[in-house]
Amino acid sequence: MAETPLYVGIDLGTTNSAAAVFDGERVSVVRNAQGASVTPSVVRIDKQGRVTVGTRARRFLEQDPTNTAAEFKRLMGTDKAIEFPAGGVKKKPEELSAEVLKALRQDITDQLGVSIERAVISVPALFELPQSAATSEAARLAGFSRVELLQEPIASALAAGWRADDAAAGTWLVFDLGGGTFDASLLETRDGLLRVVGHDGDNFLGGRDFDWAITEHLASLLSVVPSRSNIHHTAALRALRVAAEDAKIELSRGERAQVTLAQPLSIDDQDVDVDLELTRATVERLCAPLVDRALDVCLRLLASNGLAPGRLAKVVLVGGPTVMPFVRQRVAARLEATLAEGHDPMTLVAQGAALYAATAGIDGRAATSAPTTGRQVWLQYPAVSADLTPHVVGKFVGSDAPAKLKLVRNDGAWSSAEASVAPDGTWLTSVNLLPRRACTFAIEATGNDGKRVEVSPASFTIVQGLTIGDPPLSRTLGVALANGHVQVYLERGAPLPARRTFTHHTVETVAKGSKDSVLRIPIVQGEMSAAHLCRLVGTLDIGGDAVKDTVPTGSPVEVTIELDRGGRMSARALVPSIEQVFEHVAHLLVPDAAPEALDSALRDLRRQLMELRTDAFRHGLSQVIEKLDRLEARLSEAERDIDAAHGGDADAAQRARRALLDVDGTMAEADLARKWPDLDAAARQSAITASSTVGMHGTEAERALLQEVLSAMDKARKDKDAPELERQMRLATRLSSAAFNRTPEAWEWYFEDAASELSRMRDLPRAQKLVTEGKAAVERGDTEELRRIVKALWNLLPDDSEARKRGFDSGVR
Amino acid sequence: MFALPYIAFIRLHRAALDARRRVRTWQYYAYSVAAGLLAGLLVGFALFASYYMVLAGVWYLAAIIIAFFVVPPLQPVLQRHVLVPLGAVRTSFWIAHFVSMKDSDAFALCCAAWAHAGKPTGAGEAWIIERRDKRRPLGDAEIVVTAFLAAGRGDAATCRDLLRSLDLIVENHPNVREVAGEWLAVDAADRGAWGEIAASAAVARYPASALTFLIEGIAAARTGGAGAPGAGELRARWLLAPHRRVTLGLLPVDVAAEIPVRPAASEPPAETPPERPPLPRAVAAHLHLANRAANATGLALTVQAWDAALSDPATRDWLARRALELDAPLGAADRALRDVASDVTDELARLAEAAGLGAPPAHGLVGDALARRLRHGRLDALEAAFTRWAARRHDGAVRAPIDEWREFCALRTAYDAAATAGGLELRRLAFPHAYSTGNSMAVWLWNTRSEYALSHAISRWLLAEALTVGDAEAIDLCSRNCKLSVPTRTGTVKG
Amino acid sequence: MTLVENPFFVLGLSPDASRIEIEREAQKLLGMLELGFEAALTYTTPLGSRERTPEAVRAAVAALRDPYQRLLAELWARHAPASLDEAPPPPAAASSGLRKRLGWRP
C-alpha cells in the first residue's frame, strides 16, 4: 500500500502566516522553530544580506525599521519594491512573501521529515488577478512546483464545518477581519456540500486600521502632534504604533493600559515624552466605526442574498482582531447570531486550506517514482467525498487488460460487485464509504483465465466528509468595450479553472505595417458594468506591425479568456479574416496611486457631489441626500488616506484609490437619474425652436419629417429613453438649422457662437485670425466668406476625447 | 518604314478591344472577331518572318519580332493560361506593359496581382505591395491589386468587398475593371448567385471580358430576365470565352427548363399546436429560431411567444413554487423573470445582428428591450466607429491610402447593414453623425492628403445618403463637393 | 447560448435530479473525461450533440448547486422539446469549386 498522503495548507497572512497539514484523518497545525503556531509575516535583511523571517525579524521592527519589512502582502501585485538599505537590496513584495513561504516550508520539513512541493495557499476573497498571480509567483520562488489558491473565507468555513459534528446545516457567515483585509462570506452547508452563497468585503480594512486609529488618538494627545502626511514624522509614528499595538492586546484582558516609551520621541527636532493612559472604553470608541464598517458590509451581503440577520445559523470569527471581546460582542449583537466556538481564529484558515488540498487531491509530497509492480492503472476518484457512494473510474495502461475487477474496503465489511473491464481497458464502478472516515480500497483484478492480476497502485483512499466544489472566481472578469461597457466573460463565483470565448467586432482599422495602429482589447476585473469603474488587469494588443493584412473596421475578433486555479490568466484573440492568433497579454500591475492624481480625483468627486447635493435639495429627495452623506463620509476618509499617502504611505494610497473608485461608481448611478430632468427640458426647448423655425423657413418635406421626429421625441420622453431622446433631438436640431440657414442672418449668428468658443480652439493664432476676418466679412455682408470662416472655425474645435478614456481605449465592441 | 503598318495593326487591335469594353450588344461579337483577325495577322506574320530569320541565322531578330508582334496580341492568352498558373508575378508585370499606353503600370500591377493570386508567395506579395504603395493618390488599380492579394491569401470575402467598392471611384482603367468584373462574375457564379450577375450586367457595371460576357449570358438565361440571349448567341459567347471545357457544363441545355424553382418560402417556426402552454411554446420557438438562419417572421413570432410566456401568470406561479421547493432566496421568481427576459433579449439581439434583422413591432418585456437594444446598439456602434475614423485627422496617424479606403468601405458596409435592418427611420438618425464625420474626412483627404478620388468617393456616397434621407443642408454641401473636378491618372474627371 | 450550455444537458440529467445525483454524475464525468472515455466526450441537446469539456461540467455543477441558477436552468430544460422535428440547419452556401476551375483562386 502507498504511504498515507499529506495535504498541506498555508495561510499567507498580512501580519501572520501559518501552515497546517491533513493526513486524511486529522488536521494538525505546524509549529515553527520557536514552537509557535503562527509565524509573523516579517522579513529582515541585514548588512551581510542575511534574511531573517518571523518572530526574530519582528523584534527588529522597532529597532531597525528600515531594514525590516512587514505587511508587504498589501503591496502584492504592485511593482513597488521594498528597499533594505543595510543589505543594499530591493525586493519585490512577492519575493518577500516567498521568504515567508520558504520558512514555513522548512518548518514542515523539520516537523514531519518530508519535503513539500505542493500546497494550497489561501488568499483574501477579494484579491484581484494581479495579486493572485503574484502569490503564485511567490510560491514558485519558494520552491513549490504546484500550488492552488483558495479564498480565505472558504478555507475558514471548510475548517469550521469539518469539525461541526452536527453537520450544522444552514447558512453561515465567516467574519474574517485580518491584519489588512476584511472578508465577509456567506456559506451554506447541505448534504455535506459546502457552497459559497456570496461574499463581500473591504480589501483595505483590517486590524492595522485599528492600530492607526489608536495611534492617531495617542498622537493627538502629545505636546507636539506628529502628522502622517509629514515624511519626517514617520519614525515617531511607527514607535507610537508599536506601543499602541501592545496596549490594544493588553486591553483585551484589562480595563486600562499605560502607554510609555523608554525614549522620548523626536518630532520636529523636539524631544517629546510619551506617558499616556489608554482605557478600554477609549479603544472601543475609536475602533467602533471600523467594526461598524465591517458589519455594514455583512448586512449588505445578507440583504443582497435575501437574508434577514436573524436567519444565520452561525458566525465564524477569523483573524487576530476578532479576539477582542468588544468586537465579538458587537458582531453577535448586530448580526443576531451565535458565534461558533472552539476554533483557533489564527490558524483556522491554514487548516481549511489543508482540508481543501485533500478535496482537490493535491498531495504535498514530491512525486516519487515508486517502482511499479503489476499492471498499471490510472484512477479517477474523489479524494474527499460528501457522497457515500461515489464513482470510481479507471483505465488500464497498455493492451491486454484484465477482464474483471473488484474493489474491497480494507475493513472487509464491504466489497463491490464485479465490474467488467472494457476492451480499451476502461472500467467504472462505485464504492461504499463510511461516514466521516477515511476508507482504503484494494483493487482485485482477475484476468481472462480467472487468475489474480497484480495491479499498481493496488489500493486507494477516499475520505468521507464535507466537500467544496471548485474554488470560485472572486471578481467578475470581462473585456472593456469601446462604448465603455463591459462584456462579462467569467462571472464572479464561476468555478476555476474556466474558459470562455466571445466574438467582438473591431471599431477601428489596424493598418498593416503601421506601428502606431494598435487595436487594444482591455481585460478588466470588477462588478461594475461601466468599464472605467473596473480594474484593468491586462491588455491584448493587435498591432499593425504584427498583422498579416490590414484588419478593417467591423472585422470579427474571437477573444478567449482562460483562468487557472492559481489566478493566472491567459487570453487569446483570433482574427478569422487573416487567420491569425494574438496571445501576448500585457499583464498590468495594480496601478501606482500617485498622491497628486488622487488629489485631483478627490477634488473632482467633491465638485460632483456638491452638484448632486444641490440638485437633491432642489428636488427634495431625502433618500438621495442620505446616500450622499455616506459618500461624503467616505470621501473624508479617503482624504485622510491621501494625506497619509503624501507622507509616503503607499498602502494608504491604494486604499484611497479604491475608495475613490467606489464613490465614483455610486455617484455615476445617482448622476444618471439627475440628468434626466435637464435632458427633458432641453428636448422640450429644442422641439419648440424646431417647430417655429421649420414652420417659418422649412420645406414641405422638412415639416412632415419634423412631425415624425416630434412624435418620436414624445415617445422617448414617455419611455425615459435618454439616448433615443438625444438622437431625435439632434435630428430636430438639424432640421431646424437647415431651415435657419436659409435666413440671411444665420451665418452671422453661427459666427458669433463659434467666436465665443475661441479659448477652446486647437490652433489659437489661426482661430484669432479667422475671427478678425469674420468680423470684416460681417461688416461687408459677405455671407459666402462668412460661411467659409465659420466652417474653418468649427474645424478647430476639439473632438471629445473623454468617451475613449472611459472604455480604456478599447478597440472592440 | 516597316514600323508604320506594325504600329497601325497594333493600334487597331487595341482599339478593337477597347471598343469591345464599352458595349454588350451584337457589336461585342464584331469587335471580338476584328480583334481576333488582327491578332491572327500579327501572329501569322511574325511566325512567318521569324521562321525565315531563323533560317537566315539571325535568330535574335526572330526573337525581337516575336516579342513585338506576338506578345501584345497574345498577352491575354499568355496571362491567363501560362503566367497565372505559374504565378509569374514579375513577368506578368512586364509583359502587361505591352498592351496599354496611358498609365500602363496600373494594368501591369493588376496582372501581377492576378498572377500572384494564382500561386501566392510572400516575396511576390511584398514586391507588389512595394510598387502599389508608391502609387499615389489612390485609384481603382490599387484597390483591385489589394483585392487580388487578399484573394491570394484565400480571403474571398475581402476581395469581393474591395472589388465592389470600385463603384464609387471615378478613376477608370477599363482593362483593370474588366479583370475585376470577371473575378466578381466568376465568384458569383461559384456561389450560385446568378441574380447578382444579371443585375450587374443590366447596368454594365464593369467592362465585360469574354468570360464575363458568357457568364452574364448564362445568368440572364437562368434567371429568365429580359434580353436573355438565345441558345445560338450563348454558343457564340461560349466560343469566345476561355475554359470552354468547364463552361460547357454551365450552358443551360434547355433555357426554359433551367429556370430554378424558387425555394419554398420557409414555414414560420411556431407552427406549434395551439394547446401548448405559452412557456414551452416560447422555448420551442426560440430553439427553432436558433436552429436555422433567423428570418424576420421567425424573430417576430419568437418575441411574441416570449412576451406572452413571461407575462403569463402560470409561468410566474411555476417559478414561485419551484423557487420555494429549491429554497432559493427571496424574490427569486421575479428576479428570474427579469433575468430570463434579459438573457433572451441578449440572444435574440445577437441572432438579429447576425442576420441583419430589425426589431419586430412587439411590446412586452422582451419586445421593448429588443427594440431598444438593436436600435441603440447599432447606432452606438456606428457613431463610435465614425468618430474614431474622423478623430484620426488629428492624432497624426497617417495611414496608407488603401487602408483609408478599406476603413471607409468597412464603415459604409456597417452603415448599410444597420440602415437595411432599421429602415429609413434609423437611417435618418444615423445620417447626421455619419455626415459630419464623413464630410470632415473627405475635406481632410482632399486638402491635406491630396487623395482626390478617395475624397470624391466619400462625398458621392454622402450625397446619395443625403438624398435618401432628404437632408437639405447636406445635399447642398455634398453636391457642391461632388461638382469639383477630380484629377486622376486617366485624366481629370468632371464632377 | 442559453440552451445548448444548459447544465442539465451538459450533465445528461433530468431536471428532477437531486443534489447528490448531480454531484455524483459530475464527478463521474470528470473522471471519464480525464481518462478519455469515448462515451463522455459529447452530450445531447435539442439542437444536436455538443462537445463536453471538463470546464463545462464544472460550470454546470457549480450552477446547479446554486438554487437560483438551478431555477433558471430548470426553466429552460423542463420546457424544452425533446428534439426539434426539423432538419438541422443547412450548411452555409459553400463554394461549388467553379471559381478554381475557371482559373481564379481562391
Side-chain angles (χ1 to χ4, degrees):
Chain A
M1 212 197 92
E3 292 176 68
T4 47
L6 195 66
Y7 303 108
V8 180
I10 293 174
D11 171 10
L12 185 60
T14 308
T15 35
N16 291 303
S17 296
V21 292
F22 176 57
D23 60 4
E25 296 276 343
R26 256 193 343 273
V27 190
S28 43
V29 177
V30 177
R31 301 205 166 263
N32 60 22
Q34 288 79 32
S37 59
V38 292
T39 303
S41 308
V42 181
V43 175
R44 167 182 159 75
I45 300 177
D46 64 12
K47 260 208 301 279
Q48 287 81 34
R50 275 183 311 221
V51 180
T52 327
V53 179
T55 323
R56 286 197 296 149
R58 193 173 181 281
R59 283 189 211 123
F60 287 93
L61 211 47
E62 206 176 334
Q63 300 170 15
D64 183 19
T66 46
N67 292 308
T68 314
E71 302 195 341
F72 35 81
K73 180 179 169 188
R74 289 185 169 207
L75 298 174
M76 291 282 268
T78 65
D79 53 1
K80 184 130 189 118
I82 294 154
E83 226 182 309
F84 295 88
V89 283
K90 268 185 161 184
K91 294 273 182 187
K92 286 196 278 184
E94 54 261 43
E95 291 174 312
L96 296 176
S97 291
E99 293 301 335
V100 177
L101 287 173
K102 262 187 220 161
L104 293 172
R105 197 169 155 230
Q106 188 56 46
D107 291 340
I108 298 169
T109 310
D110 291 348
Q111 189 173 331
L112 302 169
V114 277
S115 170
I116 295 299
E117 277 200 358
R118 279 168 284 198
V120 169
I121 299 179
S122 66
V123 290
L126 293 179
F127 248 26
E128 283 160 343
L129 287 181
Q131 295 162 301
S132 298
T135 308
S136 290
E137 175 63 13
R140 197 188 60 77
L141 293 173
F144 286 96
S145 65
R146 179 184 166 198
V147 288
E148 283 195 10
L149 305 183
L150 180 70
Q151 282 100 336
E152 283 159 8
I154 301 175
S156 340
L158 196 58
W162 188 268
R163 296 269 178 80
D165 287 331
D166 50 349
T171 315
W172 300 50
L173 183 91
V174 177
F175 184 97
D176 181 351
L177 189 56
T181 53
F182 171 67
D183 289 309
S185 303
L186 207 51
L187 299 116
E188 179 202 64
T189 45
R190 208 196 286 182
D191 307 331
L193 290 170
L194 183 68
R195 182 173 75 88
V196 183
V197 177
H199 54 217
D200 204 334
D202 191 329
N203 237 351
F204 293 98
L205 170 68
R208 210 182 100 117
D209 299 291
F210 288 40
D211 299 341
W212 270 122
I214 300 168
T215 310
E216 281 183 350
H217 167 76
L218 292 176
S220 69
L221 301 175
L222 296 178
S223 56
V224 182
V225 179
S227 152
R228 273 177 85 182
S229 52
N230 189 336
I231 205 147
H232 303 294
H233 297 173
T234 318
L237 279 169
R238 195 181 296 113
L240 210 52
R241 211 192 113 195
V242 175
E245 231 179 299
D246 292 340
K248 184 186 78 180
I249 294 166
E250 209 179 318
L251 285 173
S252 292
R253 292 179 291 271
E255 279 300 321
R256 44 190 73 236
Q258 208 61 30
V259 182
T260 322
L261 289 185
Q263 289 147 353
L265 293 179
S266 154
I267 305 168
D268 294 342
D269 300 326
Q270 297 182 40
D271 283 351
V272 181
D273 281 315
V274 180
D275 186 10
L276 301 162
E277 192 190 61
L278 201 60
T279 63
R280 190 186 241 190
T282 313
V283 168
E284 286 175 11
R285 183 175 53 79
L286 291 170
C287 298
L290 294 167
V291 179
D292 282 350
R293 206 166 111 199
L295 282 165
D296 284 342
V297 172
C298 296
L299 292 174
R300 186 170 74 198
L301 174 66
L302 291 181
S304 71
N305 286 285
L307 276 173
R311 296 250 328 253
L312 286 173
K314 250 178 201 152
V315 175
V316 181
L317 294 178
V318 185
T322 64
V323 182
M324 287 162 77
F326 108 93
V327 174
R328 300 176 76 86
Q329 283 155 18
R330 216 176 170 90
V331 170
R334 271 194 72 188
L335 297 178
E336 300 168 39
T338 46
L339 305 181
E341 299 295 339
H343 306 297
D344 175 9
M346 304 302 283
T347 60
L348 199 62
V349 171
Q351 295 178 39
L355 289 168
Y356 176 74
T359 311
I362 305 168
D363 192 342
R365 286 166 310 180
T368 48
S369 51
T372 53
T373 53
R375 298 305 312 271
Q376 211 187 337
V377 62
W378 288 335
L379 291 173
Q380 282 292 316
Y381 60 90
V384 179
S385 166
D387 184 4
L388 285 165
T389 53
H391 287 287
V392 175
V393 184
K395 186 175 188 175
F396 284 101
V397 184
S399 57
D400 188 29
K404 288 194 184 313
L405 109 175
K406 200 163 84 168
L407 302 178
V408 181
R409 200 164 70 195
N410 59 351
D411 62 355
W414 178 88
S415 66
S416 74
E418 205 150 70
S420 51
V421 178
D424 61 348
T426 56
W427 50 270
L428 166 74
T429 183
S430 63
V431 293
N432 207 323
L433 303 180
L434 293 170
R436 308 211 144 248
R437 290 267 301 275
C439 299
T440 303
F441 297 88
I443 306 173
E444 292 179 358
T446 44
N448 278 322
D449 47 6
K451 273 194 199 141
R452 269 295 288 275
V453 179
E454 285 274 307
V455 293
S456 163
S459 68
F460 60 94
T461 305
I462 301 181
V463 183
Q464 204 280 331
L466 188 67
T467 62
I468 170 96
D470 302 293
L473 176 63
S474 53
R475 284 175 180 271
T476 302
L477 190 67
V479 162
L481 305 180
N483 63 7
H485 289 286
V486 177
Q487 163 75 60
V488 171
Y489 271 62
L490 299 167
E491 198 100 41
R492 135 171 168 174
L496 297 181
R499 185 176 49 209
R500 204 74 197 274
T501 303
F502 280 101
T503 302
H504 298 278
H505 293 88
T506 60
V507 297
E508 56 191 320
T509 296
V510 185
K512 180 185 172 176
S514 161
K515 264 212 187 96
D516 48 78
S517 160
V518 176
L519 187 100
R520 277 186 99 188
I521 303 176
I523 300 166
V524 295
Q525 207 175 14
E527 269 53 57
M528 310 299 276
S529 67
H532 74 284
L533 299 176
C534 298
R535 253 289 303 284
L536 183 65
V537 291
T539 60
L540 196 58
D541 286 353
I542 300 181
D545 45 359
V547 292
K548 274 196 266 181
D549 185 26
T550 295
V551 181
T553 305
S555 305
V557 183
E558 287 171 24
V559 180
T560 304
I561 296 186
E562 220 173 323
L563 255 186
D564 73 0
R565 283 182 176 171
R568 277 163 298 239
M569 175 190 69
S570 55
R572 182 171 61 198
L574 167 71
V575 186
S577 67
I578 51 170
E579 291 177 347
Q580 229 178 323
V581 176
F582 298 83
E583 286 186 305
H584 181 74
V585 180
H587 286 277
L588 296 181
L589 300 167
V590 176
D592 224 13
E596 292 72 29
L598 292 172
D599 277 339
S600 88
L602 180 73
R603 264 200 308 278
D604 241 33
L605 287 173
R606 275 262 156 78
R607 187 180 44 73
Q608 277 183 47
L609 192 67
M610 195 68 104
E611 280 171 22
L612 281 173
R613 197 192 283 276
T614 321
D615 239 57
F617 272 121
R618 207 171 55 205
H619 299 284
L621 305 168
S622 59
Q623 268 184 326
V624 177
I625 294 172
E626 219 174 277
K627 211 177 195 175
L628 295 177
D629 282 341
R630 277 202 297 273
L631 288 184
E632 177 71 58
R634 288 224 58 190
L635 282 186
S636 307
E637 235 171 85
E639 191 168 16
R640 275 200 299 280
D641 282 331
I642 296 174
D643 262 353
H646 279 291
D649 187 341
D651 181 36
Q654 287 295 342
R655 184 169 46 206
R657 188 186 62 82
R658 182 107 234 157
L660 293 181
L661 216 54
D662 281 354
V663 172
D664 192 14
T666 323
M667 214 120 82
E669 285 165 30
D671 204 35
L672 210 64
R674 184 185 70 110
K675 279 203 176 128
W676 176 257
D678 292 348
L679 181 64
D680 191 47
R684 278 169 208 274
Q685 188 52 47
S686 111
I688 295 167
T689 317
S691 297
S692 80
T693 332
V694 176
M696 276 200 286
H697 308 288
T699 62
E700 200 54 52
E702 280 170 349
R703 256 172 263 165
L705 200 53
L706 183 67
Q707 275 319 309
E708 275 180 43
V709 171
L710 290 181
S711 64
M713 274 167 79
D714 273 343
K715 187 173 176 301
R717 202 178 294 134
K718 228 185 289 159
D719 295 349
K720 290 222 164 185
D721 186 346
E724 175 75 15
L725 191 57
E726 273 177 3
R727 287 201 171 103
Q728 295 288 359
M729 222 165 90
R730 196 191 301 159
L731 211 52
T733 313
R734 269 199 82 72
L735 283 170
S736 153
S737 81
F740 181 61
N741 285 349
R742 295 203 184 92
T743 66
E745 60 274 24
W747 289 97
E748 274 180 42
W749 189 86
Y750 284 136
F751 173 69
E752 296 296 327
D753 186 50
S756 70
E757 300 260 19
L758 191 62
S759 57
R760 284 179 61 219
M761 304 270 178
R762 262 196 303 270
D763 181 354
L764 201 58
R766 187 166 135 72
Q768 272 163 341
K769 189 164 159 272
L770 281 168
V771 169
T772 321
E773 281 173 28
K775 282 187 182 143
V778 171
E779 269 169 29
R780 283 200 308 276
D782 186 347
T783 315
E784 266 312 300
E785 174 68 4
L786 195 57
R787 185 177 170 140
R788 190 190 63 75
I789 289 167
V790 169
K791 297 219 156 148
L793 280 173
W794 281 345
N795 260 331
L796 291 176
L797 277 171
D799 291 308
D800 217 353
S801 56
E802 194 56 29
R804 274 178 86 132
K805 276 190 219 139
R806 299 238 132 181
F808 292 117
D809 210 0
S810 170
V812 292
R813 64 176 163 88
Chain B
M1 178 57 188
F2 287 115
L4 267 179
Y6 164 75
I7 290 170
F9 271 99
I10 288 279
R11 281 264 163 116
L12 272 175
H13 177 250
R14 200 173 292 159
L17 285 178
D18 282 346
R20 193 178 82 161
R21 290 190 177 111
R22 286 190 288 270
V23 293
R24 270 181 167 78
T25 55
W26 61 270
Q27 289 165 311
Y28 193 95
Y29 306 101
Y31 287 129
S32 301
V33 171
L37 284 176
L38 286 165
L41 276 173
L42 281 165
V43 174
F45 169 77
L47 291 179
F48 179 76
S50 51
Y51 175 69
Y52 281 101
M53 282 175 183
V54 171
L55 282 191
V58 278
W59 58 268
Y60 47 91
L61 270 182
I64 291 172
I65 290 238
I66 293 272
F68 277 85
F69 282 70
V70 179
V71 171
L74 287 191
Q75 187 271 346
V77 181
L78 274 173
Q79 173 73 18
R80 187 183 297 274
H81 296 290
V82 181
L83 301 175
V84 171
L86 287 177
V89 170
R90 290 170 206 222
T91 320
S92 296
F93 181 78
W94 297 121
I95 285 186
H97 278 97
F98 279 96
V99 293
S100 48
M101 299 285 283
K102 201 166 186 183
D103 192 26
S104 58
D105 268 1
F107 183 61
L109 258 183
C110 168
C111 285
W114 181 5
H116 169 78
K119 203 171 177 186
T121 59
E125 182 166 340
W127 191 83
I128 294 169
I129 286 177
E130 195 199 325
R131 281 195 153 52
R132 178 199 69 187
D133 288 349
K134 274 192 194 137
R135 287 171 58 83
R136 300 243 169 130
L138 185 83
D140 56 356
E142 288 72 51
I143 296 173
V144 174
V145 165
T146 312
F148 286 166
L149 291 179
R153 270 191 304 273
D155 185 356
T158 299
C159 179
R160 196 178 302 134
D161 288 347
L162 279 171
L163 292 181
R164 280 182 184 159
S165 75
L166 286 178
D167 272 4
L168 286 173
I169 293 283
V170 284
E171 191 183 68
N172 184 357
H173 294 93
N175 44 8
V176 170
R177 286 184 184 239
E178 183 186 78
V179 184
E182 184 178 311
W183 191 93
L184 283 173
V186 171
D187 169 66
D190 182 54
R191 288 178 291 124
W194 298 102
E196 211 174 89
I197 304 171
S200 155
V203 293
R205 195 164 280 153
Y206 305 96
S209 73
L211 185 56
T212 314
F213 200 42
L214 168 68
I215 292 175
E216 285 176 356
I218 297 170
R222 288 201 180 212
T223 52
E233 203 185 330
L234 266 184
R235 283 268 148 191
R237 291 191 188 188
W238 173 73
L239 268 175
L240 287 177
H243 298 291
R244 287 181 201 84
R245 218 173 309 159
V246 179
T247 50
L248 185 61
L250 294 175
L251 287 183
V253 187
D254 174 5
V255 173
E258 275 293 325
I259 293 174
V261 195
R262 283 219 174 70
S266 50
E267 291 294 311
E271 10 132 27
T272 40
E275 67 266 24
R276 246 193 205 176
L279 186 53
R281 197 159 67 220
V283 176
H286 193 105
L287 277 178
H288 279 275
L289 190 74
N291 194 27
R292 61 165 100 201
N295 59 13
T297 347
L299 182 66
L301 285 169
T302 312
V303 171
Q304 275 166 18
W306 274 116
D307 282 340
L310 295 178
S311 58
D312 183 23
T315 307
R316 212 197 156 279
D317 287 349
W318 178 83
L319 279 169
R321 203 184 60 240
R322 201 59 200 132
L324 211 60
E325 286 165 4
L326 289 170
D327 199 15
L330 294 174
D334 290 320
R335 198 175 131 206
L337 282 177
R338 278 199 309 274
D339 283 357
V340 169
S342 99
D343 283 354
V344 166
T345 309
D346 279 352
E347 201 163 307
L348 292 181
R350 200 176 48 72
L351 289 171
E353 284 285 357
L357 298 174
H363 298 290
L365 266 178
V366 175
D368 287 333
L370 183 66
R372 266 190 197 204
R373 173 81 57 86
L374 286 179
R375 193 184 174 83
H376 291 326
R378 282 179 177 139
L379 288 171
D380 285 348
L382 276 183
E383 284 180 9
F386 274 92
T387 305
R388 274 172 188 253
W389 180 44
R392 271 235 329 283
R393 278 175 303 149
H394 308 304
D395 63 14
V398 173
R399 303 275 159 83
I402 186 67
D403 289 330
E404 298 284 4
W405 178 246
R406 291 180 72 174
E407 183 152 19
F408 167 66
C409 288
L411 287 171
R412 191 174 60 129
T413 311
Y415 182 93
D416 284 346
T420 314
L424 183 60
E425 208 248 340
L426 185 134
R427 197 179 277 251
R428 273 200 196 114
L429 286 180
F431 180 72
H433 189 261
Y435 165 71
S436 70
T437 47
N439 199 45
S440 4
M441 272 317 258
V443 171
W444 178 68
L445 285 168
W446 186 288
N447 291 338
T448 315
R449 304 277 311 268
S450 306
E451 290 292 342
Y452 305 115
L454 217 161
S455 167
H456 180 79
I458 298 174
S459 293
R460 260 172 86 182
W461 175 70
L462 287 173
L463 178 58
E465 281 301 316
L467 286 168
T468 316
V469 300
D471 188 324
E473 210 187 339
I475 295 174
D476 176 43
L477 186 82
C478 292
S479 33
R480 272 190 288 130
N481 282 347
C482 286
K483 280 202 194 95
L484 294 172
S485 299
V486 188
T488 71
R489 277 170 292 235
T490 50
T492 302
V493 180
K494 287 258 158 47
Chain C
M1 73 163 269
T2 326
L3 213 70
V4 291
E5 286 169 11
N6 189 295
F8 288 107
F9 294 144
V10 173
L11 298 178
L13 289 170
S14 98
D16 294 313
S18 71
R19 285 170 64 108
I20 210 76
E21 278 171 342
I22 290 167
E23 297 291 330
R24 193 178 294 162
E25 189 64 22
Q27 176 249 316
K28 182 180 93 182
L29 285 172
L30 285 175
M32 288 168 82
L33 283 169
E34 184 67 31
L35 296 184
F37 277 47
E38 198 71 33
L41 294 178
T42 56
Y43 64 92
T44 344
T45 75
L47 293 177
S49 68
R50 294 286 189 279
E51 188 199 353
R52 185 188 270 137
T53 59
E55 285 89 7
V57 174
R58 288 173 198 282
V61 70
L64 293 184
R65 272 187 204 132
D66 179 353
Y68 179 70
Q69 296 290 329
R70 173 163 180 166
L71 181 68
L72 290 185
E74 275 190 31
L75 181 131
W76 287 92
R78 214 177 267 278
H79 299 103
S83 67
L84 290 183
D85 30 338
E86 83 179 47
S95 159
S96 57
L98 184 65
R99 195 162 50 200
K100 189 150 195 195
R101 281 185 286 143
L102 287 176
W104 282 97
R105 271 180 53 95

